């Protein structure tokens, strides 16, 4: 049983170091053992497709996470929870699954470490200590014991903490495991990539021995255009907590995909259980990380630089609108007094999408009754909080555990999780968010597969996975854990985005309230909601593009909101409008004035509009000709104008 989740002193030190700015990096280049080539189908055929799940004996191996004692934050650390109502869910239901099917049945392991990845043709499911491949209708194609899969690397003991991912841009699957649970002195990272988009074919395997007086636990994985990143918690072999540390391995992705030497750079870690992002951008040069740094905040980091010359940087600690306790209460279930532990409140996962990093964790809210919620974040690259919320039942009937999140090309999102309650067995569920839904909310959860029996153990998890569908980059897949007749099962669901998931349709109008040239342009904007659903202002961003007629590298622009409000009702919202400036080189422009709205900004109802009066200037108040500004037009009256760009949840509309 998990007795404590974090080591207070260790985590406080890591946060302090991170808060000092760029992380001090002592990079060590390395070459993995390998490559080793194995064929998934051949191993499956050689063992007649048998896996440890088909052993007659019951669960034998319970993997406990050794977490350094004392690192848990005190209950209630951080700001007090808001007294004002905080909307978390809309009454609109999430869509039902298009298809659902079993991922993996009970193995010899407790817990399963639920995971999986999906391509346009195949569904790969991984657990402790099995893997199988199905088609997208759930038909089983191949199955194996992961110890047989990793055997060629000469790893000893059991592999564990397996995760799987799919890179849609290179059409490759990847599997990460830790080894060796039964032989900690030979602890290692085990990393495999498929040679093609067919996971039943050849895989390229690598092994990286830890080679220190430590062993690795709970490794995490992410990727971008240049790297496959692995981050791990490292525990001393002598069992002392004083020498706990973390490390980051940046693998050269192109090198691995080519089946070459397995080049990597090892860097100092970013704190307990930092999560590298799955990066849904085929060219983004940086890789972002999320890591919990208090009971009211998470830290954002990035890895940057050339392959082989990587560096990491602390960006910001982002404070949540709601804090949490730091504890995780046991969740009830029907048919037994045995409680189930629904998670750990460190970050469960991270993805990068459309200029933002999304992440999830399980938390206990500060308000009674005791329960757990699936908490989610959406954070900009600069470390600004874009959106935040929880899938939560304030009555305390439902507990939500081990969440995972995905966002699609339109910034719709899905969170998958297990649902627990005293009148049901642990069940697989998810909640959907449309890009046009109110900020801070997901829709009502859907239980897509109910648990079958009571669960006889307290260990559950240790994570799950939710992924956007690579077929259209819009729909979703999620794999979650339920109780089966022999213990646990994992279960897949494919969720199609409903038609109302499209961004709200808007019309942008401009009026220019200053002569040309001027030392202070005065663009005034109206954004009209021409759709039949409300427009949440906190999801809206506007950009007014201009040339400062200055040296943009040394000039800092100043901006002011003179007035803003909802019309025709005349509701002022000036204090909820924010102005910032971005550098650009597009179309000979130097800057974009960015207009955004606070999280509590009201919605614009169909047929209504928001009006914003702005002005900006250079520090020396020198003149700026507006004729060369892309967004400028000499309109005395509000006129529809598509040279001012509008975005909803980062998507150009």
């Amino acid at each position: 049983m998990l007795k404590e989740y974090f080591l207070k002193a260790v985590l406080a030190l890591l946060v302090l170091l991170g808060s000092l700015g760029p992380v001090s990096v002592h990079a060590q280049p390395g070459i993995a053992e390998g490559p080793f080539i194995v064929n998934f189908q051949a191993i499956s055929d050689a063992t007649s497709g048998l896996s440890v799940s088909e052993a007659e004996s019951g669960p034998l191996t319970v993997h406990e996470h050794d977490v350094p004692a004392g690192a848990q934050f005190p209950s209630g650390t951080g700001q007090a929870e808001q007294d004002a109502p905080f909307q978390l869910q809309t009454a609109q239901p999430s869509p039902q699954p298009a298809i659902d099917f079993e991922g993996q049945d009970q193995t010899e392991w407790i817990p399963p470490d639920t995971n999986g990845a999906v391509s346009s043709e195949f569904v790969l499911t991984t657990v402790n200590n099995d893997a199988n491949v199905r088609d997208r209708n759930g038909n089983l194609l191949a199955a194996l014991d992961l110890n047989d899969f990793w055997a060629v690397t000469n790893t000893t003991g059991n592999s564990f903490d397996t995760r799987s991912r799919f890179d849609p841009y290179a059409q490759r699957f990847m599997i990460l495991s830790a080894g060796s649970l039964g032989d900690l002195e030979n602890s290692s990272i085990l990393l495999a990539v498929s040679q093609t988009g067919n996971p039943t074919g050849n895989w390229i395997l690598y092994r990286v021995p830890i080679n220190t007086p430590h062993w690795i636990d709970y490794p995490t994985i992410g990727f971008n255009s240049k790297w496959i990143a692995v981050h791990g918690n490292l525990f001393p072999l002598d069992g002392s907590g004083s020498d706990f540390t973390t490390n980051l391995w940046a693998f050269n992705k192109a090198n691995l995909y080519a089946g070459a030497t397995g080049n990597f750079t090892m860097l100092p870690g970013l704190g307990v259980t930092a999560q590298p992002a799955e990066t849904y951008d085929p060219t983004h040069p940086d890789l972002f990380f999320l890591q919990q740094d208090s009971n009211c905040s998470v830290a954002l980091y990035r890895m940057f630089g050339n392959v082989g010359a990587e560096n990491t940087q602390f960006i910001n600690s982002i404070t949540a609108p709601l804090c949490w306790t730091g504890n995780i209460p046991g969740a009830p279930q029907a048919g037994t007094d045995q409680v189930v532990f629904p998670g750990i409140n460190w970050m469960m996962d991270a993805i990068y999408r459309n200029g933002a990093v999304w992440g999830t964790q399980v938390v206990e809210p500060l308000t009674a009754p005791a329960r757990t919620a699936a908490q989610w974040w959406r954070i900009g690259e600069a470390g600004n909080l874009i959106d935040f919320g929880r899938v939560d039942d304030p009555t305390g009937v439902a507990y939500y555990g081990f969440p995972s999140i995905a966002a699609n090309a339109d910034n719709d999102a899905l969170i998958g999780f297990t649902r627990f309650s005293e009148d049901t067995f642990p069940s697989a569920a998810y909640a959907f968010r449309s890009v046009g839904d109110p900020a801070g909310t997901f829709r009502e959860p859907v239980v897509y597969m109910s648990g079958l029996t009571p669960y006889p153990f307290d260990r559950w998890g240790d994570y799950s996975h939710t992924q956007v569908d690579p077929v259209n980059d819009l729909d979703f897949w999620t794999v979650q854990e339920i109780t089966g007749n022999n213990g646990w099962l994992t279960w897949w669901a494919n969720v199609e985005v409903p038609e109302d998931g499209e961004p709200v349709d808007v019309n942008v109008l401009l009026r220019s309230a200053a002569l040309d040239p001027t030392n202070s342009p005065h663009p005034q904007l109206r954004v009209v909601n021409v759709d039949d659903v409300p427009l949440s202002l906190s999801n809206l961003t506007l950009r007014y593009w201009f040339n400062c007629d200055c040296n943009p590298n040394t000039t800092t622009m100043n901006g002011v909101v003179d007035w803003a409000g909802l019309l025709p009702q005349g509701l002022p919202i000036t204090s909820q409008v924010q102005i910032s400036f971005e550098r650009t080189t597009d179309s000979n422009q130097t800057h974009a004035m960015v207009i955004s709205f606070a999280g509590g900004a009201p919605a614009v109802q169909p047929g209504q509009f928001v009006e914003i009066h702005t002005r900006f200037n250079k520090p020396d108040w020198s003149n700026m000709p507006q004729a060369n500004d892309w967004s400028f037009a000499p309109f005395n009256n509000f006129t529809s104008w598509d040279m001012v760009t509008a975005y909803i949840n980062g998507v150009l509309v």
Side-chain angles (χ1 to χ4, degrees):
M1 179 187 306
L2 286 173
K3 296 181 179 178
E4 294 183 279
Y5 299 143
F6 294 104
L7 182 45
K8 187 186 306 179
V10 172
L11 205 47
L13 177 60
L14 292 169
V15 172
L16 174 62
L17 293 174
S19 67
L20 299 178
V23 176
S24 176
V25 171
H26 302 283
Q28 301 179 29
I31 297 176
E33 295 178 359
F36 308 95
I37 308 298
V38 301
N39 185 277
F40 196 104
Q41 188 70 62
I43 298 174
S44 176
D45 292 344
T47 56
S48 301
L50 294 176
S51 62
V52 294
S53 64
E54 293 171 293
E56 293 182 0
S57 59
L60 299 177
T61 304
V62 179
H63 171 45
E64 303 282 3
H65 283 298
D66 283 328
V67 274
Q72 182 179 356
F73 292 108
S75 179
T77 295
Q79 301 173 358
E81 188 145 358
Q82 291 181 344
D83 293 327
F86 193 87
Q87 185 181 13
L88 298 173
Q89 270 121 243
T90 65
Q92 190 170 1
S94 297
Q96 294 293 319
I99 189 174
D100 66 274
F101 51 80
E102 179 184 301
Q104 174 68 51
D105 58 352
Q106 172 77 56
T107 70
E108 294 179 309
W109 283 73
I110 300 294
D113 291 353
T114 304
N115 235 236
V118 182
S119 72
S120 59
E121 297 182 69
F122 302 99
V123 177
L124 170 69
T125 305
T126 56
V127 296
N128 281 330
N129 203 340
D130 284 16
N132 67 53
V133 178
R134 301 176 186 269
D135 64 25
R136 287 167 56 105
N137 292 314
N139 299 306
L140 185 64
L141 304 177
L144 52 74
D145 183 333
L146 279 167
N147 283 334
D148 294 334
F149 180 76
W150 295 118
V152 68
T153 68
N154 296 315
T155 187
T156 56
N158 285 308
S159 62
F160 63 100
D161 282 350
T162 297
R163 301 178 191 250
S164 43
R165 299 290 184 264
F166 180 70
D167 179 349
Y169 307 109
Q171 293 290 301
R172 302 290 192 101
F173 285 88
M174 56 191 79
I175 296 176
L176 168 71
S177 293
S180 309
L181 189 60
D183 183 12
L184 296 183
E185 291 187 357
N186 290 305
S187 180
S188 61
I189 294 169
L190 305 173
L191 183 60
V193 295
S194 61
Q195 276 192 340
T196 69
N198 185 347
T200 68
N202 283 349
W203 286 73
I204 309 164
L205 279 57
Y206 296 92
R207 177 176 181 263
V208 179
I210 299 304
N211 281 341
T212 68
H214 293 83
W215 64 280
I216 189 168
D217 189 40
Y218 206 86
T220 56
I221 186 171
F223 61 87
N224 78 334
S225 61
K226 299 187 289 190
W227 302 294
I228 296 175
V230 174
H231 193 279
N233 298 331
L234 296 175
F235 295 87
L237 290 170
D238 62 9
S240 66
S242 59
D243 197 25
F244 171 83
T245 189
T246 64
N247 275 353
L248 166 62
W249 291 263
F251 290 90
N252 181 334
K253 188 172 79 168
N255 179 278
L256 298 189
Y257 285 173
T261 51
N263 292 8
F264 65 87
T265 303
M266 188 175 71
L267 303 99
L270 305 177
V272 176
T273 312
Q275 291 280 350
E278 299 170 53
T279 304
Y280 287 91
D281 183 320
T283 61
H284 201 295
D286 298 341
L287 198 154
F288 294 90
F289 299 74
L290 285 179
Q291 188 259 343
Q292 183 195 355
D293 62 350
S294 82
N295 285 337
C296 207
S297 60
V298 297
L300 178 68
Y301 294 84
R302 73 180 180 115
M303 183 166 66
F304 63 97
N306 295 325
V307 174
E310 297 83 0
N311 204 338
T312 55
Q313 180 186 30
F314 169 80
I315 297 175
N316 194 24
S317 180
I318 302 95
T319 301
L322 302 173
C323 302
W324 53 96
T325 69
N327 303 314
I328 297 294
Q333 55 176 329
T336 179
D337 292 332
Q338 173 69 59
V339 296
V340 184
F341 288 100
I344 309 169
N345 63 13
W346 55 40
M347 298 305 298
M348 288 278 116
D349 64 351
I351 67 160
Y352 174 89
R353 184 103 236 196
N354 296 326
V357 182
W358 301 68
T360 54
Q361 61 189 142
V362 58
V363 298
E364 180 189 29
L366 291 179
T367 56
R371 64 195 188 277
T372 56
Q375 181 165 283
W376 59 275
W377 304 73
R378 184 169 175 241
I379 298 168
E381 290 188 29
N384 54 304
L385 182 62
I386 299 174
D387 207 355
F388 167 92
R390 290 172 180 165
V391 179
D392 181 29
D393 179 0
T395 70
V397 171
Y399 288 55
Y400 301 109
F402 290 105
S404 52
I405 195 167
N408 67 14
D410 288 343
N411 281 333
D412 306 314
L414 191 84
I415 299 178
F417 42 80
T418 302
R419 182 189 184 277
F420 305 88
S421 68
E422 63 181 7
D423 57 352
T424 62
F425 305 128
S427 301
Y430 59 76
F432 171 76
R433 169 179 169 75
S434 166
V435 65
D437 288 346
T441 65
F442 269 68
R443 299 182 183 181
E444 286 294 325
V446 165
V447 173
Y448 69 89
M449 185 62 188
S450 297
L452 304 179
T453 60
Y455 190 63
F457 309 101
D458 57 15
R459 287 283 280 119
W460 192 264
D462 282 322
Y463 34 75
S464 66
H465 195 224
T466 302
Q467 179 198 309
V468 70
D469 194 331
V471 169
N472 57 14
D473 207 16
L474 294 175
D475 298 333
F476 296 98
W477 289 82
T478 189
V479 60
Q480 302 298 323
E481 184 180 356
I482 67 170
T483 52
N485 290 322
N486 297 316
W488 53 257
L489 295 172
T490 69
W491 209 269
W492 280 98
N494 173 218
V495 184
E496 295 179 351
V497 173
E499 292 183 1
D500 63 357
E502 296 298 323
V504 179
D505 195 8
V506 299
N507 185 22
V508 179
L509 296 86
L510 169 71
R511 181 171 69 185
S512 300
L515 299 175
D516 182 28
T518 177
N519 64 2
S520 182
H522 279 50
Q524 298 180 357
L525 304 172
R526 280 184 178 178
V527 181
V528 183
N529 182 358
V530 295
D531 215 320
D532 56 2
V533 296
L535 165 65
S536 177
L537 280 179
S538 58
N539 295 334
L540 175 68
T541 305
L542 303 170
R543 284 179 172 83
Y544 182 94
W545 307 84
F546 67 95
N547 191 320
C548 73
D549 301 285
C550 64
N551 183 343
N553 296 317
T554 59
T555 304
T556 301
M557 303 301 301
N558 302 318
V560 174
V561 179
D562 289 323
W563 182 86
L566 291 187
L567 295 169
Q569 64 266 52
L571 175 65
I573 60 166
T574 306
S575 63
Q576 296 172 293
V577 182
Q578 303 151 351
I579 285 183
S580 60
F581 293 89
E582 293 177 349
R583 283 288 315 282
T584 182
T585 57
D586 293 339
S587 302
N588 296 318
Q589 304 297 285
T590 61
H591 290 83
M593 179 175 65
V594 182
I595 301 170
S596 57
F597 301 83
V604 181
Q605 299 303 316
Q608 298 180 357
F609 57 93
V610 60
E611 187 169 311
I612 313 106
H613 298 181
T614 69
R615 54 188 166 92
F616 58 90
N617 62 275
K618 292 182 285 188
D620 63 2
W621 289 92
S622 59
N623 271 350
M624 289 181 282
Q626 297 187 82
N628 62 354
D629 292 350
W630 190 75
S631 292
F632 173 76
F635 297 142
N636 293 322
N637 299 306
F638 280 105
T639 305
S640 182
W641 189 237
D642 61 5
M643 300 301 211
V644 176
T645 50
Y647 309 79
I648 296 178
N649 283 317
V651 178
L652 178 67
V653 295

